[in-house]
Amino acid sequence: MSTLTIAIIVVFVLGYALIAMESLTKVNKAAIALLMFVFCWMLFMFDPAPFIQLMHPDFAGAGEKVVAFANSLITEHLGDTATTLFFLMGAMTIVEIVDQNGGFNWVKNVMQSKTKRSLLWKIAFMTFFLSAILDNLTTSIVMIMILRKLIQDKHDRMIYASLVIIAANSGGAFSPIGDVTTIMLWNSGMITAGGVISEIFVPSLISMLIPAFLLSLSLKGNIQRDNLTNDLSGDREVLEFNSLQRKIIFAIGVGGLCFVPLFHFLTDLPPFAGILLVLGVLWTVTELFYHNLHKERGGDFHFSKRVSSLLSRIDMSTILFFLGILMAVACLEEVGVLRELGNGLNIAFNSNHYAVTGIIGVLSSIVDNVPLVAGSMGMYPVEAMGDMSVDGIFWQLLAYCAGVGGSMLIVGSAAGVVVMGLEKITFGWYMKRISWIAFVGYIAGILSYWVIRTLVFTTPL
């Protein structure tokens, strides 16, 4: 291993450690990720020839051609990363448009329950399926806001909030648009929409049902009537569109998100093109609605929920964090580190992909699952046949393990981090009360997948 390779690894590990200690350093993780990305590639460009010779033996150029080829590699990786980033930006904007126009208010009415246990099961299933359509982060925020209107007892709400984390991560794992990691795998062609839904749905459902049952044992009694009254009062928000217009926005937004996999299948265009199509249609429809409102209220009237205004609410720091992480991981791929790591894992576990992906899932509860999946994609090439083929056992399990595994610690997923901040749940409380429950569900899901692939579907659907 060369000195430059070691230096790149040191920069990556140091950057990753600073990202993990964001709460201590008070430096936004996006800033560290961007610095990590640039410094890794700067070291690569000091002497790219040995790396290119190692990873691209067919290249025979020298001198300036080496520099040009190295730059083309960076551009190629940036293009691959951009497909994921544009998908996320489009999806986040669509969800924001629907939410700001009251599209999710109906969820509050569905959640009305008399007993604590019936509410728990409603929350579990609602979170599970909403996460598959939206994403686990957005779904968690929506569900916590609803819980605050329904449950006043802090301890009970912490239990419900913990279930929201587990259900959101489980629901996102079986959907090609439900989690950043599944979006990455789908965009890169490792899994198909039909394959991941048909084969990971049951394991994901089991990984939610078992923890929900265990958590329900700690909840007894009825919900106080005044809590339901608070919920029925709802938010006194000012909505700019009438009921019919809001329903149209909801139908286009959520229906469009569901349509993206079909669009990809019909056109062979990348998924981000489908999400941008939905965003364009939704933006156009809302502008037509606002054109009519301007006629009614006057041209000078300012509307705060126009798409052009809502774009400023998109969490760009998250987008830049993903950019930095994915491009830094791409550098590790180009210096051959990921390939060697993948070979080492295969040797250590005798090519048992259930064990390899299971370990990756456990690690995803400690560190961010985005670089773990990005690293795995760089470690293992897609093969024509076998476990590494499209929709093969390895990629299907990676989608499940990386998504569901993050539930084992509260800091192991975006859903967990946001719930931790909103409900002030401590790391220790979650680890003591919830981690083992999430682990039981995680293992049960893997076992169910083994049963399905061994006894039911021996080949991908």
Side-chain angles (χ1 to χ4, degrees):
M1 189 176 290
S2 68
T3 304
L4 274 178
T5 303
I6 295 173
I8 290 171
I9 294 172
V10 168
V11 168
F12 185 86
V13 172
L14 179 61
Y16 207 101
L18 291 173
I19 289 172
M21 294 187 295
E22 180 184 16
S23 59
L24 298 177
T25 63
K26 307 302 181 184
V27 178
N28 192 291
K29 62 183 179 181
I32 302 299
L34 292 176
L35 291 174
M36 185 168 62
F37 151 39
V38 175
F39 283 131
C40 283
W41 282 103
M42 280 174 58
L43 291 169
F44 178 90
M45 292 301 293
F46 271 122
D47 187 16
F51 301 128
I52 292 174
Q53 185 178 8
L54 174 67
M55 300 302 296
H56 305 275
D58 295 336
F59 178 76
E64 290 298 321
K65 289 184 179 180
V66 173
V67 176
F69 185 76
N71 277 281
S72 70
L73 289 176
I74 298 174
T75 304
E76 181 181 342
H77 283 293
L78 181 61
D80 293 337
T81 300
T83 61
T84 299
L85 299 184
F86 277 112
F87 188 100
L88 286 173
M89 291 172 64
M92 291 165 68
T93 306
I94 290 168
V95 170
E96 188 70 22
I97 294 169
V98 175
D99 183 46
Q100 287 298 311
N101 287 284
F104 298 119
N105 286 352
W106 60 274
V107 180
K108 300 174 186 176
N109 297 327
V110 175
M111 289 293 102
Q112 296 175 35
S113 302
K114 290 184 178 181
T115 67
K116 294 180 180 179
R117 286 183 178 176
S118 65
L119 176 62
L120 179 136
W121 286 108
K122 286 184 178 181
I123 287 172
F125 282 103
M126 183 66 72
T127 305
F128 182 80
F129 288 107
L130 270 183
S131 181
I133 300 172
L134 308 178
D135 64 79
N136 50 12
L137 178 60
T138 303
T139 302
S140 298
I141 296 173
V142 171
M143 297 307 294
I144 292 300
M145 294 302 137
I146 293 170
L147 275 175
R148 287 182 173 179
K149 300 178 183 301
L150 294 171
I151 302 296
Q152 300 301 315
D153 183 83
K154 174 66 174 176
H155 180 265
D156 285 351
R157 201 163 69 238
M158 288 169 68
I159 294 175
Y160 287 119
S162 299
L163 179 61
V164 166
I165 297 172
I166 294 171
N169 288 333
S170 295
F174 82 88
S175 166
I177 60 174
D179 188 87
V180 176
T181 53
T182 53
I183 291 171
M184 290 164 56
L185 291 167
W186 183 42
N187 267 315
S188 301
M190 276 76 173
I191 59 175
T192 64
V196 73
I197 292 172
S198 61
E199 296 185 41
I200 301 300
F201 173 76
V202 172
S204 296
L205 184 63
I206 289 174
S207 72
M208 181 274 290
L209 289 176
I210 292 178
F213 171 75
L214 294 174
L215 287 173
S216 70
L217 300 178
S218 61
L219 292 172
K220 297 179 181 179
N222 296 329
I223 299 173
Q224 296 298 318
R225 180 58 58 180
D226 59 344
N227 293 342
L228 288 176
T229 303
N230 290 338
D231 179 59
L232 290 173
S233 66
D235 292 328
R236 299 303 182 184
E237 57 183 338
V238 178
L239 300 175
E240 296 170 345
F241 296 140
N242 60 39
S243 177
L244 176 60
Q245 291 171 326
R246 293 199 301 273
K247 289 177 182 177
I248 292 174
I249 290 173
F250 177 82
I252 295 174
V254 177
L257 290 171
C258 299
F259 168 74
V260 170
L262 179 61
F263 174 86
H264 172 62
F265 174 77
L266 294 175
T267 65
D268 288 327
L269 285 171
F272 81 90
I275 211 77
L276 294 180
L277 170 66
V278 176
L279 176 58
V281 171
L282 188 58
W283 196 339
T284 302
V285 169
T286 58
E287 286 299 299
L288 292 175
F289 290 164
Y290 281 117
H291 178 71
N292 292 330
L293 284 175
H294 276 298
K295 287 183 178 180
E296 296 175 5
R297 304 186 187 183
D300 297 331
F301 196 89
H302 176 70
F303 295 100
S304 62
K305 296 180 181 180
R306 297 187 83 138
V307 176
S308 54
S309 299
L310 296 181
L311 285 172
S312 62
R313 293 181 163 211
I314 301 305
D315 189 0
M316 284 305 299
S317 66
T318 299
I319 299 296
L320 292 175
F321 167 71
F322 290 144
L323 170 65
I325 281 289
L326 294 176
M327 287 301 292
V329 170
C331 185
L332 292 183
E333 179 182 348
E334 287 298 333
V335 300
V337 170
L338 298 184
R339 185 176 67 179
E340 293 302 316
L341 183 58
N343 291 335
L345 282 173
N346 277 339
I347 293 172
F349 293 100
N350 196 26
S351 297
N352 185 331
H353 294 137
Y354 286 89
V356 173
T357 53
I359 293 296
I360 292 173
V362 172
L363 289 175
S364 73
S365 68
I366 303 171
V367 296
D368 195 279
N369 59 3
V370 171
L372 279 176
V373 172
S376 300
M377 291 164 63
M379 283 190 272
Y380 304 102
V382 178
E383 298 176 357
M385 304 255 323
D387 289 0
M388 293 293 184
S389 62
V390 176
D391 279 338
I393 288 175
F394 180 84
W395 301 117
Q396 296 273 15
L397 272 176
L398 184 61
Y400 169 84
C401 292
V404 178
S407 301
M408 284 184 276
L409 292 177
I410 196 168
V411 296
S413 65
V417 171
V418 73
V419 172
M420 182 183 187
L422 290 172
E423 285 300 311
K424 302 298 184 290
I425 299 175
T426 63
F427 181 90
W429 182 91
Y430 189 92
M431 193 162 98
K432 181 180 179 181
R433 305 287 183 87
I434 309 298
S435 291
W436 71 271
I437 293 175
F439 179 74
V440 170
Y442 173 72
I443 295 299
I446 294 177
L447 290 175
S448 70
Y449 181 78
W450 178 83
V451 170
I452 291 171
R453 289 304 296 260
T454 304
L455 304 177
V456 183
F457 302 119
T458 56
T459 58
L461 291 179

